[in-house]
Structures are given as C-alpha cells and as structure tokens.
Amino acid sequence: MSEKFDAIIIGTGQAGPAMAQRMTQEGLKTAIIERKLFGGTCVNVGCIPTKALVASARAAYMARRGGDFGVVIDGGIIVDMKQVKARKDGIVLQSNQGVTNWMKNMNNLTVYEGHGCLESANTVRVNGELLEAKKIVINVGGRALVPDMPGIDTIDYLTNSSMMEVDFLPDHLVVIGGSYIGLEFAQMYRRFGSRVTVVHRGDRLVNREDPDVSEAIKEILENEGVEIRLGATCAGFEKRGDQVVVTANCASGPEAVVGSHVLLAVGRIPNTHDLGLEAAGVEVDRRGFITVDDMLATNVPGIWAIGDANGKGAFTHTSYNDYEILAANMFDNDPRRVSDRITAYGLFIDPPLGRAGMTETQVRESGRKALIGKMMMARVGRARERSETQGFMKILIDAESERILGASILGIGGDEIIHSLIDAMYADAPYTVIQRAMHIHPTVSELIPTMLGDLKPLE
Ligand SMILES: Cc1cc2nc3c(=O)[nH]c(=O)nc-3n(C[C@H](O)[C@H](O)[C@H](O)COP(=O)(O)OP(=O)(O)OC[C@H]3O[C@@H](n4cnc5c(N)ncnc54)[C@H](O)[C@@H]3O)c2cc1C
C-alpha cells in the first residue's frame, strides 16, 4: 500500500522548500522528505555559517589593524574560538529553525524525516513507507568530494561540514584546494591566528578566474601570511604523531607540508548515488549529476531535478533560480529557461570578488571584438579612505552591440557593487547607460562610469 500525493519533493535545500510552498498554494497535496538538516548545505554547513565566520575573522583583522586608523588597543587581540563558533551556531540555528518551522507548519504539506529513495518513476520509499505521486522534484544537493588519495583513510581530515564543529584554533591548518571554499577557510583561519598553508593542484589559485584575478587573490592572501603551494599534485597523507604530513609534488617549495589539521576542499559531488535513480530510469552524467533540459525536466516525464544535483549551478542563488524556472513553467505558463540566466557569483574572501558574465579569457576565446576597462582599487577614493586598496575592477564590453559581456570586481564591496552591472546585463542595456548615470560620492560604484569612459580595445 502506498500513501498517495500529487507531488513529492526530495531534499529541503535552497529550492525544495520554496517549491513546496508554491505546490501547496496551487492545491497540490505535497510531501517533502529531508534526511538530515532542514535548509540543507547553505543554511547549515555552507554559505550562512561561513559568512558568519568570515565576519568574525574580519573583526579580528580590523582589530589588529586598529593602529592604521589611529585606534589604539591597549593589550593583545585574543580570538575566542568557542565564542566565534557560538555566534555562528546562533545564526545558523535561527535560519535552520526558520526553514524547519516553515515546512512543519505548511498547510497541505506532509514532512518526512528520513532518507528518500526512488523505487520507480512515481514512487519513493522513506522510513519503510511507500509514497506515490505523478510529480517528483529532486533537490538533494551535494557534499564534499573526498578523493581516493593515498593515506586519506589514515588521517582525520576535515571537510566544510566537520569544520562547523571546530571550536579551537588549529596550530597549522593545511587546506587542500585553492578554490572558492578552500580560500574562504584559509583566510578566515589565518585571521583567527592559525598558520595556514594552501596546497593547490593548479598553477594558479581559482583557475576559473582570469590570471590577473588569480594573481591578485594570491597577493591578498600572502600579504596576510597564508602560505601557498601551487602546482601541487597531492601524492598523499601520512600521520606522524599529532601531525599530518601532506606529501605533494610541488612546483615550488619543499615537498612535504607538516600540519596539525587538514581541510579537504577539492570539489563537491551530488547526492545521487543512493537515490534509486536507476530504478526510476533517471539519467545521470559521468560525474553523477542528474541530466536535465533547459526547463529542469529529467529524461523521465514527471521527474525534475533542481539545485546543485543537476550540475547547472553550484550556488544558492542558482538553486533558488531553478525553483523559479520550474514554478514558472509548471504553473504560470511562463517559459523561463536555465539558459536565460547570466553567470553571477561571489568569492567571499576579504575583500571579496564579485563576478558577472564572461571572464576576459572567455571573451578572448570567443574571438569577438571587445573593449576592456580596468581600474585599480588604489585609485578609488572610497578604498583609500578606508585603507583597503587591494584588488581591481575590470569590465568587458562587446564592441559592436555595446552590451556588457562580463565583469570582475575584486575589492571592498565587490560582492555588492557587481549587481549594478548584473542588472544592466539583464536589462540588455548598452554600457553607456551606466557610463552616463550619476553615482553617489564617495563610493566604489562612482568609479564605474569613469572606468567605462576609458575603455580600450581588447588586443
Ligand atoms: C562551505 C560552503 C560555502 C558556500 N558558500 C556559498 C555562498 O556564499 N554563496 C552561494 O551562493 N553558495 C554557496 N555555497 C553553495 C551552496 O551551499 C549550495 O549551492 C546550495 O546549498 C544549493 O544547494 P541545493 O539546493 O542544491 O541543496 P542543498 O542545500 O545541498 O540541500 C540538499 C538537501 O537534501 C537532503 N538530501 C539529500 N539526499 C537526500 C535523500 N535521499 N533523502 C532526503 N533528503 C536528502 C540533504 O540532507 C540536504 O538537506 C557554499 C557551499 C559550501 C559547501
């Protein structure tokens, strides 16, 4: 016997809860299944806790820099890691409880706490019960990749999830992976007071960014004492007493890094291996991401996949945008498409990187005629007033259509300032609209029209 619903949602990540609200509002009798923490990665072990920790780390950094501003702190700066964690936990709890209460009090929604597994194209088993529905939405997200490196099983490594339990200061944190997640943790722990070494396979950090962006990020981190090993193909790990030896084939520096703790931040994999996708006939790609079309439908009619598990995005905003696309197509006769969205994301080191659209490298590869504008943060009055002049702004324009192709803003407020460019891109407005706009003084944004007034052909 199965319990019949109109719709079943598996996972309460960044898209599932909003989808549940919309489905129930549309009168669908809906079930939602969560096996662990309501709110998923972002709320519990991702965006929210890391940004809370980044804020504590920045407070420590600014306290140490007090003298630069004429603020004398009479005594040492002590970071109380127990309090740092308690603050972070309080912020997470608020968000987690918000989602939990939202789900548990929603009319027409039945919440199941357990692991959901498809048994066919329209049935899901959870806690021994069989649920049936014509519509199934998968929002199972992903988890940290733990590669099969020699010796990995012999050490107690940390991931973004177990890092959330750390309430002490690691003596020497070795971060494996110099990309978005790894670098946030690296800078944050350096600011808390740990010695930090980043061991990265590539020949530059965050390889997806332009080389000048990677270089500037490296400088920002090295200025604070983060040690960086590039070109490091990690050979393995070995426990030596209380220490962990990370052996790496490094392009520079001694081969082995000896640390007290290791954080693995080498990528994410989708939670699709134990979902019964084969029983339902749902196709995945070679990395396990569920294959979906431009409207997020899988190859099986009546089953959709939204969020990180479909491989079309790896962010909270892409997951939420997936919900909007699916809801628009399912209920509003509004043909929104994944391909309508413009690439946008942040890297939340301090100062942060805000990114939109194409990189300079991608523009060059596309072969189109383009213009480029670049301005160092050291030229921006607001940055100088705040003694935070690291980074730069860069923008790429299509020479013929005058549309913005992409931008990178690495510097104070970069994660916020990028949005005026994202909005102009969505409005499909020529760059001249922003160039002629009057922006507020003194801000970083006021220099964007100036930068646009000094574009050069991309050679
Ligand atoms: C350290 C870190 C920092 C990040 N920072 C940012 C950031 O600053 N900005 C940003 O945009 N993104 C950030 N991200 C990425 C962001 O967290 C994810 O893109 C986002 O959570 C989207 O996930 P989702 O909706 O696909 O599902 P998730 O949030 O991963 O949630 C999936 C849920 O499904 C549940 N589940 C899985 N399988 C089953 C099953 N079989 N049955 C029942 N339940 C199941 C899981 O328990 C989980 O609760 C960060 C990620 C990490 C790891």
Side-chain angles (χ1 to χ4, degrees), residues 13-14 34-35 40-42 51 115-116 139-140 308 314-316 319:
Q14 302 311 300
E34 174 52 59
R35 71 179 177 191
T41 308
C42 179
K51 266 71 273 174
H115 174 83
N139 179 220
V140 292
D308 288 8
F315 301 101
T316 285
S319 179

Side-chain angles (χ1 to χ4, degrees), residues 33 44-45 63 67 74 86 112 118 127 133 159 185 208 211-212 218 220 236 268 275 299 322 340 353 372 420 429:
I33 307 170
N44 299 289
V45 293
D74 193 10
Y112 290 88
L118 289 152
N127 301 336
T159 65
F185 279 112
R208 261 188 245 159
D212 55 353
K218 183 165 172 275
I220 288 168
R268 312 266 309 155
L275 197 54
N299 62 306
D322 280 359
D340 294 339
L353 169 71
I372 186 167
S420 68

Side-chain angles (χ1 to χ4, degrees), residues 10 35 43 99 113 124 144 186 192 198 215 244 325 341 351 370 375 391 430 433:
I10 309 176
R35 71 179 177 191
V43 164
V99 183
E113 292 184 64
V124 180
F192 289 149
V198 175
E215 192 49 40
V244 181
I325 291 166
R341 76 180 168 219
M375 180 174 289
V433 169

